[in-house]
Amino acid sequence: MPAPTLAKTLKDVFNTANPIPLQSGDPRYVDCTAVRGNEDSVGQMFRVIAWSDQPATAQLFTGHRGCGKSTELFRLQKRLEDAGYAVIYFGADDAIDVEDVIYTDVLVAIAQQVYGGLQRLGVKLDDELLDDIFKWFAEIVYEKANTKEFQAELAAEFSMGAPPLLLPLAQLLAKITGQLRTGVESRQQIRSRLDPQIAHLIERINLLIMRGVGTLRKQGKQGLVIIVDNLDRIPFRKLGDGRSNHDALYIEHGEALRSLRCHLVYTVPIASFYSTSVSRLTSTFPDRRVLPMIKTHTPGNQPWPEGLAILRQILAERIDLDAMFEEPALATLCAESGGHPRILMTLVRYACEYAANRFPRPIDANAVERAISRFTSEYSRSVPEAYFPKLAKVFRAKQCDNDDAYRDMLHNLIVLEYMNGLEPWHNVHPSVQRLAKFRSALSDA
Amino acid sequence: MPERAADLAPENISTLDRLVRSIDMAEGFALFIARCNVPVLRNDLILTARQQLAALGVAVVEVAFEDRPVNVRERVAAALAAADVPGTSESAWHVTAPKRAIFVTGLELGIPYDQPNSRVLAELNLGRDAFLRDAPHPLVLWLPDYAVTAVARFAPDFWAWRSGVFEFEADAVERRVAIEHFTGNRPWHTLTNLSPEVRLLRRRQLESLLDDYRDLPDEPRAIGERAVILIKLGEICAASQDHKKAAAYYEQALSLVYQLNGQRSKAVTLTLNNLGLVYSALGEKHKALGFYEQALPLQRQVGDRGGEAATLNNIGMVYDALDEQRKALEIYEQALPLQRQVGDRGGEAATLNNIGVVYDALDEQRKALEIYEQALLLSRQVGDRGGEATTLNNIGFVHDTLGEQHKALDFYEQALLLSRQVGDRGGEAATLNNIGLVYHTLGEKRKALDFYEKALSLNQQVGDRWGESITRYNMVMVYEDLGDLAQAEEQLVLVVALDEAVGHPDLANHRAALERVQAQRRAAPGQRASA
């Protein structure tokens, strides 16, 4: 990837300050490991896979929204591929209805992605195996015993005038995931049919995986890794009796999720590590990584120069800072991000709108101040009234409790998680700290 | 197009300038949110923005949702494709295509005011990345305030990608224009006749408008306008059979109109009557009576005899529903002379019609027919075809009861014709349902089902779940006669669901019927549910 030229106009600054995750190998990537306050997450996840003497491992990966998870997972994928692994990466949001998802949906999506991924990797699976798997899904999900007839039906359904492009099993899996994603009634029916058959479902997926891995090894590959990104976007929901949909997926059905015979990396919502049942989660998935915020300050509210320098460097990879920013204003902007790279980008965008009509250094103290005040007022929409006393508590203790309100605060970036070594601590986002309601809650207590 | 751009307030002009400037700067996908509670202002802003962007070489593609939005991204992609100039080749397109911006309006239709965590927000949140691919242009979502907050709370990933929220405030004139849009005297069925989508749109617009009054000082004009909005909200909710919500809005309105005009104003007694109607619909007949009985002395004090008669008429209907037919007759008899004194022949016709209903219920069918004839005459004199249709329908019902099915069909045909002429789909559905009953009696079961289906489709068009429940239950009767228990069960499941949704008083009976049919089906082997 060629080095991008640095932004020297407001328009270029506006466009380079884009919150979309970087692709692997983008020269604008800045290694934030040290200032995030933990060890290198990608390196750790890589080692769990590469150093294992088993063909299968399972890990969880989490972090705040927009803190760079996808960027890090792209790096992991690249590193694994460089080391000779076949990697199937997919975003759960593309394959599943994340709004209403249970573990069978995830497994079926994995089956579809594995089959599609193996085809893309040029792995030819023998017809007998594919027929067997087709037959199983056809019988269990659709109660179709006549394979030939059903294949013809599917072909007709998928061709829509054009000749079918997919093989029968791909069509069948696409039909099932399609119905799971969009058909509210058929979804329930498919789930109720798969649920009692779960051991068999896993067995079929493992057949696919093991045959695939066998061929991959002959091609000189080290093994197969599946990375499921964006599962952390599952909105938290109570199911009654104190359970949450997160608990149901990762804890109650964690064993099913980890029983596939290849290396697995699942993303999870950061809030699930603050569940009351977290100990059960850690016993199912001992390998978990959190990608924390970049530290901009210490738990004692003192500025943390190393972190601020990295944030500045993230901007310096994209923008000609000397030409575009006035000095103390730039430092203010970095601190205001709370160490969250995407928020930093948003603030830069806002500041462009208020920039002065002169060069050099059009983004001055006034522009930054107005950008911050607008961002703060927008933030107030994310914070329900009832949270403010709790937020005052977090600000003082620098810790979160295990309750739903705090989970929501982590989920919505109202409270951020930082690391000192392996010790997580929390703080209220700087923009929330500016809200009048927060300040009065702080002085009330 | 009116030249209203010059009328925009200076703050709105400068906010719009910033929005236009940001759109001009943005390359590829960028998300902007424009917050505006008042549709008239929003339309002016969009018009002005279009003109300013056009001058900068940016073409606006507008996607306006008029129903609960689904597949937002696909709709946007389709609008983009449609905007491409036909006939230009792919390569030429890239050279000559103007820069585009996408304006989306109407998303709030999928974001309930009181329960904003909705499907459309989940869709935006999860489909975020796909916008980059399918709609790589600046995107502006025009939303009322509550919907902006809903996006922040319930579509946080989507929200996090925003490049700015632009807040526009309506001034007093713009708010008033918006309110006038909803007022004016129209017959009730023009509201119940609207499709559920249009009613939903109105409801969201009114709710958003109400938000604009939250922070205004309590001066009489603002209070009055707030009351009007609340009353209109109550009416639209009642017409949508959301009677609970309607009651809540009317109650808020009531305290405002008291505050504003004192007890004896017409606005107060009208609101009390509206409250009576919604509580009556909720089955809380005694609560309804309470409201009517508050209204009566107020109307008597100011000598509002027309209003008094209307209230008496409503009271009569409650007693009728409570199976106190004698009491109902007594009340209606009090309404009649008042209506005659003020020369309200339309009202008199309505009361006579209601008296006919009572006699029918008392099994005095001949007497009922006599009264209906009088009602019919008056309706025709004043040219009230809607009222005429209702009475004709009721006459048909009497003949059906008397075993004169063919005569009944004659009257139903006449009623149908008039309902269609005035466009009263609710009335039409009721008559179609009754025709179904006649054919069932005549043993023509398939024909009965045909008419029920026609009634259902009208019920569904206007979102009348109450009527839908009744007609479906009638279908159950036919299916049971046909021995088709599977169909009977299927319909009963729907009936029970509808009853639950509207709080139907027959819910318990219908549940029992469902259990009975299910038990029968279990006892009859060989019949399996079709999946």
Side-chain angles (χ1 to χ4, degrees), chain A residues 62-81:
Chain A
T62 192
H64 285 289
R65 335 171 142 238
C67 73
K69 273 191 305 291
S70 293
T71 301
E72 297 291 315
L73 287 176
F74 293 150
R75 282 181 64 224
L76 175 66
Q77 178 178 7
K78 178 81 176 20
R79 188 154 167 195
L80 286 163
E81 283 168 352

Side-chain angles (χ1 to χ4, degrees), chain B residues 395-409:
Chain B
I395 294 177
F397 197 78
V398 173
H399 285 298
D400 189 14
T401 313
L402 290 171
E404 302 164 351
Q405 272 74 27
H406 290 283
K407 220 161 179 176
L409 284 178

Side-chain angles (χ1 to χ4, degrees), chain A residues 15 65 342 349 378 381, chain B residues 25 27 157 160 162-163:
Chain A
N15 283 298
R65 335 171 142 238
R342 191 174 61 206
R349 273 204 163 180
E378 288 174 13
R381 289 184 190 272
Chain B
M25 279 199 281
E27 285 164 358
D157 296 294
R162 76 199 180 283
S163 298

